Amino acid sequence: MMAELLIRPFSPEDNDAHWRILAPVIAAGETNALPRDMARQDALAYWTAPGRQVFVAEADGVVVGTSYLAANQLGGGAHVANAGYVTAADARGRGVARALCAHSLAQARACGFRAMQFNFVVSTNEVAVRLWQDMGFAIVGRVPRAFAHPALGDVDVLVMYQAL
Amino acid sequence: MMAELLIRPFSPEDNDAHWRILAPVIAAGETNALPRDMARQDALAYWTAPGRQVFVAEADGVVVGTSYLAANQLGGGAHVANAGYVTAADARGRGVARALCAHSLAQARACGFRAMQFNFVVSTNEVAVRLWQDMGFAIVGRVPRAFAHPALGDVDVLVMYQAL
């Protein structure tokens, strides 16, 4: 964990930093179900879509990660939160995702959500799977071969969940 | 199965029939994660959202059911289809959903999808769960208490899947 990590709401001034973080992850296409050639404007619009609370993690004034928090469904599913996280490539291994996830869980509780669900955790993203388990999430579903990994072919996708 | 059932693409002229079918299901709030007070315009826009192929089932010239078919995810998840179905309240028990599902599966195969996934099958909707199982879907996930049922409280939600 970086001592200096500050998590604060996203503002449009963070767009450049957001794209710097999102672009390599989207282009790699190994962990997210987004088009690998997704344009900057589309990616930023997707990540900060209406209804999402977006936060950034800053270390020494530099944005090193981003998260969103939203209801996973409408109506009878609106008590379950969904969230997503991306860490800057040059800031990995420093606890950014863990801090963003802890912040999301607290924020979700504060907003009255009664659970959090991840719909699409790529099973080969083992660092993430272990981290979410460590943060209290259980694997409640496994969809066979639901992700076309650019190097590994079709791999399973996990649904993960925890009550809040 | 109704002998006369015709499945054809939706056209805007079907909007009134669509709303007649969708409104009571949305208002009941027992099987779909949509706001129970969802307005007609919002419901129609949701059901026929961009990127969805929408079909209606007609019996003797009357629309008795509707389905949509779409990619469940973008990017590396775009080879998996998603679909949804609603049968008119006065046409239940006549094989409409079964026929719409069979049509969706064939259409998904024709479009090159390699699997179909349902993200949100309310576990207490036993008729639907049995029908999807009968149509070849397996339960691959169970999200605890992820649906606030208006009569039964928080009940589990199933993720269902089949390869195509």
Side-chain angles (χ1 to χ4, degrees), chain A residues 93-108:
Chain A
R94 293 159 64 188
V96 174
R98 178 182 295 270
L100 283 168
C101 183
H103 175 270
S104 281
L105 290 166
Q107 181 74 6

Side-chain angles (χ1 to χ4, degrees), chain A residues 32-36 38 46 73-77 79-80 114 117 119-120 140-148 154 159 161, chain B residues 32-36 38 46 73-77 79-80 114 117 119-120 140-148 154 159 161:
Chain A
N32 289 78
L34 296 174
R36 295 178 66 188
M38 199 173 197
Y46 163 80
Q73 299 281 347
L74 305 170
H79 62 291
V80 180
R114 303 205 293 277
Q117 178 178 342
N119 303 301
F120 204 92
V140 297
R142 172 179 285 264
V143 190
R145 304 167 66 81
F147 183 70
D154 291 354
V159 180
Y161 162 95
Chain B
N32 289 79
L34 296 174
R36 294 177 67 186
M38 197 175 198
Y46 163 80
Q73 298 282 345
L74 304 171
H79 63 290
V80 180
R114 302 203 295 276
Q117 178 178 343
N119 302 302
F120 203 92
V140 297
R142 175 179 282 265
V143 189
R145 304 167 65 82
F147 183 69
D154 290 354
V159 180
Y161 161 95

Side-chain angles (χ1 to χ4, degrees), chain B residues 1 4 16 21 25 32 47 75 118 141 143:
Chain B
M1 179 81 68
E4 315 282 342
D16 285 349
I21 293 171
V25 171
N32 289 79
W47 194 259
F118 299 153
V143 189

Side-chain angles (χ1 to χ4, degrees), chain B residues 4-154:
Chain B
E4 315 282 342
L5 209 61
L6 167 74
I7 296 176
R8 61 164 176 79
F10 164 82
S11 84
E13 293 168 7
D14 298 313
N15 272 335
D16 285 349
H18 246 179
W19 180 235
R20 179 177 53 78
I21 293 171
L22 293 172
V25 171
I26 292 170
E30 295 183 343
T31 54
N32 289 79
L34 296 174
R36 294 177 67 186
D37 60 354
M38 197 175 198
R40 171 187 161 119
Q41 186 176 341
D42 294 337
L44 294 178
Y46 163 80
W47 194 259
T48 64
R52 290 182 166 187
Q53 300 180 45
V54 182
F55 297 91
V56 296
E58 261 186 25
D60 298 326
V62 176
V63 175
V64 293
T66 178
S67 70
Y68 72 79
L69 175 68
N72 196 43
Q73 298 282 345
L74 304 171
H79 63 290
V80 180
N82 175 241
Y85 314 93
V86 177
T87 298
D90 58 6
R92 285 186 193 147
R94 295 160 62 190
V96 175
R98 179 183 295 270
L100 284 167
C101 183
H103 174 272
S104 280
L105 289 166
Q107 180 75 6
R109 281 190 195 94
C111 293
F113 288 109
R114 302 203 295 276
M116 188 179 287
Q117 178 178 343
F118 299 153
N119 302 302
F120 203 92
V121 180
V122 175
S123 60
T124 50
N125 189 3
E126 292 173 9
V127 171
V129 174
R130 277 197 302 269
L131 176 57
W132 307 148
Q133 288 176 317
D134 201 42
M135 298 298 292
F137 288 84
I139 296 170
V140 297
R142 175 179 282 265
V143 189
R145 304 167 65 82
F147 183 69
H149 190 289
L152 304 173
D154 290 354

Side-chain angles (χ1 to χ4, degrees), chain A residues 80-139:
Chain A
V80 180
N82 175 241
Y85 313 93
V86 177
T87 299
D90 58 5
R92 286 186 192 146
R94 293 159 64 188
V96 174
R98 178 182 295 270
L100 283 168
C101 183
H103 175 270
S104 281
L105 290 166
Q107 181 74 6
R109 281 190 195 93
C111 293
F113 288 108
R114 303 205 293 277
M116 187 178 288
Q117 178 178 342
F118 298 153
N119 303 301
F120 204 92
V121 181
V122 176
S123 59
T124 49
N125 189 3
E126 292 173 8
V127 172
V129 174
R130 276 198 302 270
L131 176 56
W132 307 148
Q133 288 177 316
D134 201 42
M135 298 298 291
F137 288 85
I139 296 170

